RNA sequence: GGCCCCGUCGUCUAGCCUGGUCUAGGACACAUGCCUUUCACGCAUGCAACACGGGUUCAAAUCCCGUCGGGGUCACCA
């Protein structure tokens, strides 16, 4: 039988990296065994529905290159793939369980349950709902008056169940610990534990890989599988992703707070920064999974070939943006200049720094900037910080660089002399320029550093950047001379 | 509170199942040096961990028990 895995997001917002990682493990396992990866939308609770959330989730999957074999936009033989459209299936399953006596009508009221819960809590005991005997008269009366009821699973007492979890190992639980749980609300809405099992059975899911918060849920679910007479899938519960430098579980609700601290937890935030899908894939796979003692960089194909659940760590891993950044850099190094140009262009366009449409000449210019930037360009949006001055008319000076390199006696005079050098260098190319500047330094008795650094700040405004001659060539003679002039003017005016 | 999961450098992890080869290995980050006109890259070096306490054993990061810490679940949420 072919391996079938699924990821079941609820369309309530953005994908966060913990969820993406869980999805990735599902996808990787399916691809590893040549099986199917299914996307199923958990939208039973309309209350929590958020507009366009689904579109963003799907975009996230597409960006990651995690293609699904069945699901939204694609359909498939075992659909529909929206829980909101599967009511008939849940109804049928619920009826069957009522008929077989596994499930009963619960007429209890909110108040009654709350009171019971309080009472049990005060005895420092876990709350467990148990069926209360109900007289035939009452039952008849309730039915006659159309009193609402939920459907509850009658949990068999005195049994011990075990989940053979592929990540956690064997986990045991006694049914006495489980209260009779609701599978269908009075309004007919199926609850997660029930709907999820029905779907997994119907969709022939073979491996349920999900967040570890569902580990405890697995036991009630086991009961449902059994009552339905269905075959059990394999289970694998993935540990949570903790906050940066901490063991505390990362919370989607704290997204804004993390952002304020400069920590990104949403996939979209990394997409916008200009991270590479392959880097994200690599990072997420390594977060909680390892192949051996040494390999850090994995291609997509390698991941598919080598991924296995038994090498997923059973303890939580905390999100490490530094490591992501490093992996990103490694993947960036593999890109050709042309690929980098493609990645960088949208950022320039967004800031109005690129012509629309992009001309071949402009593309060439971007290519030369990207080439000059080399490994300094770690994420595509870096073009806006590291390469901005190549695309602006006016020069903006970094105050620290000005202070360190330009606020020195004799600098204006030297800049004027260098301007003369630039004006007369023929041809105006990298090798000739380098020779000319060297000759200038030597003839005036200046150490190279004291010439090159001021000239860099005068022409780029920055203290750091690509090789100076690269900058001079890309900027062009006229632009460099104009910038030197404006720098001298600035120094003279004392601003 | 009951039940369940988890606990190796700051972080990701190898080692744990099948005790000795572990004075615990690799990577990120950090620090220092080299390279160099700056930065980045690269190279070299350094810093740094078996949560704690018992037990078993000739020998424990590895097996057992307890404590502490983190997390989950106990919803007519997912």
């Amino acid at each position: 039988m072919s391996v079938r895995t699924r990821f079941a997001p609820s369309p309530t917002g953005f994908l966060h990296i913990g969820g993406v990682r869980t999805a990735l493990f599902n996808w990787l396992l399916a691809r590893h065994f040549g099986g199917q990866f299914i996307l199923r939308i958990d939208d039973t609770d309309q209350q929590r529905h958020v507009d366009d959330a689904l579109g963003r989730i799907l975009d996230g999957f597409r960006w990651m290159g995690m293609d699904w074999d069945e699901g939204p936009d694609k359909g498939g033989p075992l659909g529909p793939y929206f829980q909101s459209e599967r009511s008939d299936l849940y109804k049928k399953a619920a009826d069957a369980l009522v008929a077989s006596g596994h499930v009963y009508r619960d007429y209890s009221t909110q108040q009654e349950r709350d009171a019971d819960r309080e009472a049990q809590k005060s005895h420092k005991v876990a709350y467990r709902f148990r069926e209360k005997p109900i007289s035939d008269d009452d039952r008849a009366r309730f039915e006659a008056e159309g009193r609402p009821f939920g459907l509850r699973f009658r949990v068999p007492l005195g049994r011990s169940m075990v989940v053979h979890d592929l990540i956690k190992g064997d986990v045991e639980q006694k049914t006495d610990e489980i209260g009779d749980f609701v599978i269908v609300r009075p309004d007919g809405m199926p609850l997660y534990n029930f709907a999820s099992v029905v779907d997994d059975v119907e969709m022939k899911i073979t491996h349920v890989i999900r967040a570890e918060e569902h580990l405890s849920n697995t036991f009630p679910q086991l009961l449902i599988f059994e009552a339905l007479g269905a075959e059990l899938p394999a289970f694998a519960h993935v540990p949570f992703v903790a906050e940066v430098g901490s063991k505390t579980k990362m919370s989607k609700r704290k997204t804004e707070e993390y952002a304020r601290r400069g920590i990104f937890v949403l996939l979209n935030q990394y997409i916008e920064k200009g991270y590479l899908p392959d880097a994200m894939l690599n990072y997420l796979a390594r977060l909680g999974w390892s192949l051996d003692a040494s390999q850090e960089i994995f291609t997509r194909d390698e991941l598919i070939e080598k991924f296995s659940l038994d090498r997923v760590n059973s303890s939580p891993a905390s999100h490490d943006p530094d490591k992501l950044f490093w992996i990103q850099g490694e993947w960036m190094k593999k890109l050709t200049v042309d690929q980098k140009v493609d990645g960088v262009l949208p950022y320039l366009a967004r800031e109005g720094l690129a012509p629309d449409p992009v001309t071949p000449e402009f593309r060439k210019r971007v290519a030369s900037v990207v080439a000059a930037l080399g490994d300094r360009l770690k994420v595509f949006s870096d073009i806006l910080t590291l390469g901005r001055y190549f695309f602006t008319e006016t020069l903006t000076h970094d105050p620290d660089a000005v202070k360190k390199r330009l606020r020195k006696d004799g600098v204006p005079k030297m800049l004027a002399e260098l301007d003369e050098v630039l004006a007369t260098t023929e041809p105006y190319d990298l090798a000739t320029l380098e020779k000319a500047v060297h000759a200038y330094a030597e003839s005036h008795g200046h150490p190279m550093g004291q010439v090159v650094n001021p000239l860099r700040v005068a022409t780029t405004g920055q203290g750091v950047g690509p090789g100076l001659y690269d900058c001079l060539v890309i900027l062009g003679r006229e632009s460099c001379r104009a910038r030197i002039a404006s720098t001298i003017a600035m120094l003279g005016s004392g601003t």
Side-chain angles (χ1 to χ4, degrees):
Chain A
M1 191 168 68
S2 130
V3 167
R4 291 172 63 84
T5 63
R6 49 76 164 171
F7 184 68
S10 62
T12 54
F14 290 98
L15 278 172
H16 67 107
I17 55 174
V20 179
R21 185 185 63 152
T22 304
L24 174 62
F25 287 176
N26 273 282
W27 181 81
L28 248 18
L29 194 81
R31 292 290 168 264
H32 176 79
F33 287 110
Q36 290 88 46
F37 174 60
I38 294 127
L39 226 43
R40 178 171 81 214
I41 309 304
D42 260 359
D43 58 352
T44 48
D45 192 347
Q46 298 294 339
Q47 299 279 310
R48 299 171 37 144
H49 183 81
V50 176
D51 258 3
D52 202 36
L54 179 61
R56 287 191 298 237
I57 289 170
L58 263 26
D59 283 347
F61 273 85
R62 292 191 189 100
W63 183 83
M64 288 285 287
M66 298 193 295
D67 54 324
W68 56 100
D69 302 289
E70 297 167 31
D73 282 11
K74 272 201 119 143
L78 301 172
Y81 294 89
F82 290 85
Q83 289 193 330
S84 59
E85 296 170 13
R86 298 174 61 81
S87 312
D88 293 352
L89 273 338
Y90 307 133
K91 176 90 171 61
K92 221 177 94 193
D95 287 347
L97 293 184
V98 172
S100 62
H102 290 283
V103 157
Y104 60 90
R105 293 180 173 188
D106 168 32
Y107 287 101
S108 69
T109 63
Q110 180 80 48
Q111 290 73 17
E112 284 169 28
R113 293 194 300 271
D114 287 348
D116 282 357
R117 204 188 332 265
E118 281 315 305
Q120 295 191 29
K121 237 183 198 161
S122 62
H123 286 88
K124 291 192 186 297
V125 156
Y127 173 65
R128 291 184 200 100
F129 189 98
R130 292 286 177 231
E131 184 176 13
K132 292 189 185 64
I134 173 170
S135 70
D136 290 345
D137 285 353
D138 282 348
R139 189 188 308 279
R141 202 182 76 240
F142 290 163
E143 280 175 22
E145 70 193 20
R147 181 161 170 170
F149 59 86
L151 256 28
R152 268 187 202 269
F153 196 95
R154 185 178 288 121
V155 174
L157 264 24
R159 278 183 51 190
S160 182
M161 290 185 295
V162 44
V163 180
H164 302 286
D165 193 279
L166 267 19
I167 293 173
K168 301 285 188 179
D170 285 0
V171 182
E172 205 183 329
Q173 170 105 80
K174 298 196 174 14
T175 53
D176 296 32
E177 303 287 345
I178 308 166
D180 287 359
F181 52 92
V182 175
I183 63 163
V184 179
R185 292 208 310 210
D187 63 6
M189 185 183 116
L191 262 23
Y192 173 79
N193 271 340
F194 177 61
S196 154
V197 171
V198 172
D199 290 340
D200 288 341
V201 171
E202 296 286 336
M203 293 180 180
K204 302 187 191 308
I205 301 304
T206 59
H207 298 254
V208 173
I209 306 167
R210 77 232 298 194
E212 73 174 324
E213 63 198 84
H214 291 293
L215 184 53
S216 304
N217 283 330
T218 308
F219 298 98
Q221 290 176 15
L222 248 28
L223 254 14
I224 300 176
F225 274 106
E226 191 183 277
L228 252 21
E231 211 172 306
L232 242 40
F235 290 95
H237 288 92
V238 182
F240 64 88
V241 175
E243 292 177 1
V244 176
S246 135
K247 292 291 181 201
T248 306
K249 189 177 186 266
M250 186 182 272
S251 162
K252 319 136 241 218
R253 279 166 269 290
K254 284 157 84 178
T255 299
E256 301 240 324
E257 182 199 321
Y258 297 141
R260 271 198 299 278
R261 284 156 53 196
I263 299 164
F264 292 168
V265 299
L266 301 180
L267 181 63
N268 288 66
Q269 293 169 316
Y270 289 100
I271 296 176
E272 276 160 32
K273 261 279 176 196
Y275 277 76
L276 258 10
D278 282 321
M280 185 54 85
L281 206 71
N282 190 156
Y283 167 72
L284 254 18
R286 277 291 285 105
L287 190 64
W289 173 85
S290 66
L291 177 67
D292 53 30
S294 58
Q295 190 171 355
E296 301 285 348
I297 302 300
F298 292 86
T299 64
R300 185 174 295 260
D301 288 343
E302 260 179 314
L303 248 19
I304 290 172
E305 183 197 334
K306 295 175 172 161
F307 181 78
S308 71
L309 287 171
D310 57 17
R311 290 208 59 91
V312 172
N313 221 103
S314 57
S315 57
S318 51
H319 177 37
D320 185 353
D322 285 336
K323 184 88 171 232
L324 205 207
F325 191 65
W326 173 74
I327 291 176
Q328 164 70 14
E330 294 301 303
W331 278 95
M332 209 64 164
K333 285 181 200 165
K334 297 174 191 273
L335 260 39
T336 62
V337 167
D338 221 42
Q339 288 172 312
K340 289 188 191 178
V341 170
D342 286 334
V344 125
L345 240 22
Y347 291 90
L348 293 173
R350 191 193 300 172
E351 300 266 319
L353 299 173
D356 181 24
V358 170
T359 60
E361 296 76 53
F362 184 76
R363 204 186 152 86
K364 234 178 121 187
R365 183 180 176 81
V366 176
S368 58
V369 170
V370 160
L373 247 19
D375 294 337
R376 296 170 187 83
L377 191 81
K378 303 280 194 191
V379 295
F380 289 134
S381 63
D382 281 345
I383 193 70
L384 262 16
T385 50
L386 304 179
R388 185 167 216 112
Y389 51 83
F390 288 112
F391 304 99
T392 56
E393 206 50 55
T394 55
L395 186 60
T396 310
H397 290 93
D398 172 55
D400 291 338
V402 171
K403 196 172 164 208
K404 186 172 176 195
R405 305 292 191 190
L406 299 183
R407 296 285 179 205
K408 301 235 162 82
D409 286 347
V411 164
K413 177 169 172 287
M414 183 174 71
L415 288 178
E417 288 162 0
L418 283 165
D419 177 59
E420 195 52 32
V421 172
L422 297 191
T424 55
T425 297
E426 270 326 319
Y428 188 85
D429 64 20
L430 199 138
T432 317
L433 242 17
E434 177 162 8
K435 221 175 288 171
V437 173
H438 266 94
Y440 165 81
E442 214 158 299
S443 63
H444 288 71
H446 295 309
M448 275 309 285
Q450 281 179 35
V451 175
V452 163
N453 287 313
L455 184 53
R456 170 192 303 285
V457 182
T459 51
T460 70
Q462 304 299 310
V464 301
L468 174 67
Y469 308 107
D470 282 311
C471 295
L472 296 180
V473 170
I474 295 169
L475 251 15
R477 189 195 323 252
E478 293 319 310
S479 177
C480 285
R481 294 195 61 200
R483 289 176 176 209
I484 289 170
S486 82
T487 299
I488 292 172
M490 178 203 72
L491 291 172
S493 73
T495 50

